Amino acid sequence: MPTEERPTTNPHLLAWVDEMARLCKPDRIQWCDGSAEERKRLIEQAVAQKVLLPLDQKKWPGCHYHHSNPNDVARVEHLTFICTPTKAEAGPTNNWMDPVEAYRKLGALYEGSMQGRTMYVVPYVMGPTESPFAKVGVEITDSIYVALNMGVMTRMGKPALARLGDTSRDFNKGMHSVRDCNPDRRFICHFPQDNTIWSIGSGYGGNALLGKKCLALRIASYLARNEGWLAEHMLILEAESPEGEVSYVAAAFPSACGKTNFAMLIPPKSFDGWTIRTVGDDIAWLQVGDGGRLWAVNPEAGYFGVVPGTNFKTNPNAMRTIERDTIFTNVARTSDGDVWWEGKDNEPYPEMIDWKGQAWTKGSKDKAAHPNSRFTAPMSNNPALSRFADHPKGVPISAIIFGGRRSTTIPLVLQSFNWTHGVFLGATMGSETTAAAQGLKEGVRRDPMAMLPFMGYDAGSYLQHWLDMQVDIPNPPKLFLVNWFRKGANGKFLWPGYGENMRVLKWVIDRAHGKIGAKETLVGWVPRATDINLGGLDVPSADIDAAMKIDYAEWETELASEEEWFQKLGPTLPRPLSLQRELLLERVRAAVRPPA
Ligand code: OXD
Ligand code: MN
């Protein structure tokens, strides 16, 4: 097999690449160096293979389009496995496969899977390259689309090999083959004890860009527990006040619930002088650092964001981020190289090509773009990028926000009484399901810290780790719960969301710095009318009241229904969390039905 010159002498890496090449039998092996020339060459090859279609380069400089296989449009949680020696280590919320069985099963599928193809070897760093937080991974893939996306989402190539050095074994081994893209032969397997990922049968982001969900969340959460830090499904934002005071906030919302929008928020007029900048839009790695505070880095170098609904009103910074050097996957396109999606500023064109590659006519009842269509764009395109986004030390976090998509019960914002109560609010977070994963039942599912599909080990132990972290953080961030998605009796959202979320964020920041008041309720602290700036907000005050309302009868139902979730977590559920539930439930019960 022709092999180009190998850019490393690291014997562990070379031996593993050789072993995988013997298994998959590619025609060629190409090591990615991450250079601009290489990217240009790869794009030309991808265009020649019709994996990428160039867009109109005047309108969309450097941008390309990709149609995925229509059967491969989202994460596949039912085909995602944690492969630990015992099932108990994976816990009740993960699919488990015995590691010996998983290596055998996927090994047989990899056998000869790259015949006639190129094997790309993609070394990459998650985290700022020089950062003590950073981790090296190497992804082997037969997908040029994956190699190109990894070039945007990670620090790819030379810097990774330099960081790994000539002798270290400390790198994540990520094996990926799209093979025949058959859902019956699709598996995403994680071997936390081996720092290894084997993925087959899908080219979709979360299944195939192994640095993202697989390494930066599932494997990293396992490493973080052992090493005393946190790997979380959180955006990180920087808020600068008119006085120049800078605060950093991390927020965990489930997939497709607005993390990117929140991280790129533009404050409303009445918040003149405030600026929000982005450190990260999806993943945070958090470690205790200077001043006994929790410091965070974004391990990624790009954004893999949901496109539909993005426009110059909802997220102008995202629109400017995707203006150039972006890969669009599964939006709609026109024959002359423009793109369109539901929720874009302009009307759909009369005739387009939909995400499946079929002719689409305006007025059609089918969506032109897939609801989980995505952009892949470098973070350096973001006009609101924080100057600390690439800082090796990270940024110090003042507040952590948890939030799901809930049409009832959960108020606009709630501050926890203390760390344990905050962990409880995160642990019981619920969210209505979205298009980011295939095959989920509609309705509310519990999604602890928005990590349900991303915990690399047992959920109860994960929550225990959160509780344990308290004593390691002398100056911990304050913990909050938010809900932008509560609905009125008419089924309409009560809160306008997007830029207006600044009003909530300001209260959160002021609370974190002990600067503003709040009202104590039985379930947490909430803003009083005078604590939150609602100036210039064009929303009926009845809707705002309804969005913020704490209804103890609803909370009684909520807290009672959490028992089922806690039972599911089983024997490792931390006792402080079950006691917390009982305490809150007793209190709201007494409020709903005071003793005679
Ligand atoms: C993502 C997801 O792609 O959470 O970020 O699904
Ligand atoms: Mn995500």
Side-chain angles (χ1 to χ4, degrees):
M1 160 190 7
T3 302
E4 65 177 43
E5 208 185 307
R6 291 138 71 99
T8 176
T9 55
N10 185 304
H12 312 293
L13 175 52
L14 291 175
W16 174 65
V17 171
D18 286 345
E19 186 191 337
M20 293 301 115
R22 276 195 301 275
L23 180 62
C24 302
K25 304 188 179 47
D27 280 15
R28 284 166 301 279
I29 299 182
Q30 187 173 327
W31 289 72
C32 293
D33 64 18
S35 64
E37 301 75 61
E38 175 185 78
R39 183 161 190 83
K40 191 163 168 283
R41 213 172 45 243
L42 286 176
I43 288 180
E44 280 164 11
Q45 286 167 12
V47 168
Q49 294 164 22
K50 299 205 170 19
V51 171
L52 290 185
L53 306 174
L55 292 176
D56 174 345
Q57 295 297 299
K58 281 214 189 70
K59 269 194 193 143
W60 298 98
C63 295
H64 293 82
Y65 182 95
H66 175 73
H67 282 290
S68 80
N69 187 316
N71 77 27
D72 188 28
V73 292
R75 286 183 293 98
V76 282
E77 296 183 8
H78 59 297
L79 301 173
T80 298
F81 294 84
I82 302 297
C83 306
T84 39
T86 65
K87 189 168 179 348
E89 286 163 275
T93 59
N94 282 312
N95 300 311
W96 175 79
M97 211 189 287
D98 174 70
V100 176
E101 159 72 2
Y103 282 130
R104 194 197 53 72
K105 188 169 183 160
L106 274 72
L109 296 174
Y110 284 136
E111 178 76 51
S113 66
M114 296 188 188
Q115 268 164 5
R117 299 186 188 179
T118 301
M119 174 194 261
Y120 300 92
V121 183
V122 180
Y124 63 93
V125 185
M126 298 310 287
T129 311
E130 305 301 325
S131 171
F133 287 78
K135 301 267 181 218
V136 174
V138 181
E139 174 162 357
I140 291 177
T141 178
D142 57 4
S143 161
I144 194 167
Y145 168 80
V146 165
L148 280 163
N149 275 271
M150 288 295 283
V152 177
M153 297 303 294
T154 72
R155 284 97 175 155
M156 180 176 95
K158 276 198 182 129
L161 291 180
R163 181 159 174 135
L164 179 64
D166 291 335
T167 54
S168 173
R169 289 173 187 274
D170 188 13
F171 65 96
N172 178 270
K173 299 189 186 76
M175 181 60 204
H176 171 251
S177 170
V178 180
R179 201 179 183 265
D180 51 357
C181 202
N182 183 334
D184 295 335
R185 290 186 279 272
R186 183 172 292 160
F187 297 98
I188 324 295
C189 288
H190 304 73
F191 305 84
Q193 279 92 345
D194 301 344
N195 198 4
T196 294
I197 303 155
W198 279 20
S199 165
I200 192 157
S202 166
Y204 172 77
N207 303 326
L209 311 180
L210 301 185
K212 191 173 180 62
K213 303 301 181 182
C214 301
L215 170 54
L217 288 175
R218 299 196 188 95
I219 298 283
S221 62
Y222 170 88
L223 298 174
R225 194 259 313 251
N226 295 346
E227 296 168 3
W229 52 283
L230 295 165
E232 298 298 327
H233 193 200
M234 290 177 182
L235 66 95
I236 309 163
L237 64 78
E238 173 183 289
E240 183 168 345
S241 73
E243 296 74 41
E245 197 184 356
V246 176
S247 309
Y248 294 93
V249 173
F253 308 155
S255 309
C257 288
K259 283 195 295 300
T260 307
N261 292 340
F262 197 46
M264 296 183 178
L265 178 155
I266 296 196
K269 286 232 162 30
S270 49
F271 282 76
D272 228 19
W274 279 86
T275 312
I276 304 303
R277 300 188 193 91
T278 318
V279 178
D281 81 325
D282 194 41
I283 300 178
W285 285 356
L286 303 125
Q287 293 189 10
V288 185
D290 281 3
R293 302 186 65 187
L294 199 55
W295 290 70
V297 297
N298 167 18
E300 301 190 281
Y303 309 127
F304 181 67
V306 177
V307 185
T310 308
N311 59 52
F312 279 100
K313 276 199 239 44
T314 57
N315 194 339
N317 285 323
M319 291 301 285
R320 292 191 41 213
T321 301
I322 62 181
E323 267 166 8
R324 59 201 150 88
D325 301 321
T326 293
I327 300 173
F328 291 92
T329 302
N330 289 346
V331 297
R333 64 186 173 90
T334 60
S335 52
D336 61 353
D338 200 355
V339 278
W340 189 86
W341 50 85
E342 278 72 17
K344 194 161 182 275
D345 299 85
N346 57 321
E347 283 288 299
Y349 298 106
E351 307 282 326
M352 291 191 293
I353 300 150
D354 73 7
W355 67 273
K356 289 188 199 138
Q358 319 257 302
W360 185 94
T361 324
K362 189 170 173 180
S364 160
K365 61 176 182 11
D366 295 328
K367 292 209 184 321
H370 188 276
N372 193 37
S373 49
R374 297 280 178 148
F375 59 77
T376 319
M379 71 176 181
S380 55
N381 277 8
N382 179 359
L385 189 68
S386 160
R387 64 193 186 285
F388 296 110
D390 207 25
H391 199 287
K393 205 169 145 180
V395 295
I397 300 295
S398 299
I400 292 180
I401 302 176
F402 300 116
R405 184 183 281 269
R406 291 294 302 271
S407 17
T408 67
T409 317
I410 307 300
L412 185 61
V413 61
L414 185 71
Q415 183 184 359
S416 70
F417 295 123
N418 52 44
W419 184 267
T420 305
H421 179 228
V423 172
F424 171 84
L425 292 176
T428 52
M429 210 173 107
S431 198
E432 282 140 34
T433 46
T434 68
Q438 277 173 271
L440 299 186
K441 267 213 314 263
E442 268 182 47
V444 175
R445 67 166 184 175
R446 300 283 160 198
D447 188 351
M449 281 76 173
M451 282 287 281
L452 183 72
F454 307 123
M455 288 178 285
Y457 62 103
D458 168 59
S461 313
Y462 165 86
L463 296 173
Q464 184 64 54
H465 177 50
W466 260 90
L467 292 174
D468 293 345
M469 284 297 290
Q470 181 181 13
V471 289
D472 297 332
I473 317 172
N475 289 310
K478 300 283 187 287
L479 306 181
F480 297 80
L481 184 68
V482 301
N483 179 21
W484 315 137
F485 300 97
R486 200 165 182 181
K487 289 183 178 163
N490 58 5
K492 295 224 170 85
F493 291 120
L494 292 163
W495 179 252
Y498 300 108
E500 304 298 349
N501 294 337
M502 179 68 218
R503 300 169 190 276
V504 174
L505 179 61
K506 162 98 169 37
W507 183 74
V508 163
I509 291 169
D510 284 346
R511 288 295 292 167
H513 297 317
K515 278 193 186 164
I516 197 135
K519 184 172 100 183
E520 186 177 339
T521 74
L522 295 182
V523 292
W525 294 93
V526 295
R528 295 164 305 187
T530 49
D531 296 324
I532 187 159
N533 174 355
L534 298 172
L537 183 62
D538 187 18
V539 176
S541 60
D543 282 4
I544 296 174
D545 292 348
M548 297 211 191
K549 185 167 181 209
I550 306 274
D551 178 326
Y552 290 137
E554 285 184 354
W555 273 90
E556 185 188 3
T557 311
E558 176 75 11
L559 288 157
S561 75
E562 287 165 5
E563 188 184 0
E564 191 188 341
W565 164 236
F566 275 6
Q567 268 176 6
K568 174 168 182 182
L569 294 185
T572 55
L573 171 72
R575 202 162 134 70
L577 297 185
S578 48
L579 292 174
Q580 183 71 238
R581 190 187 75 85
E582 285 178 39
L583 173 69
L584 293 169
L585 184 57
E586 286 303 315
R587 284 163 48 167
V588 299
R589 271 202 179 131
V592 176
R593 280 185 292 281

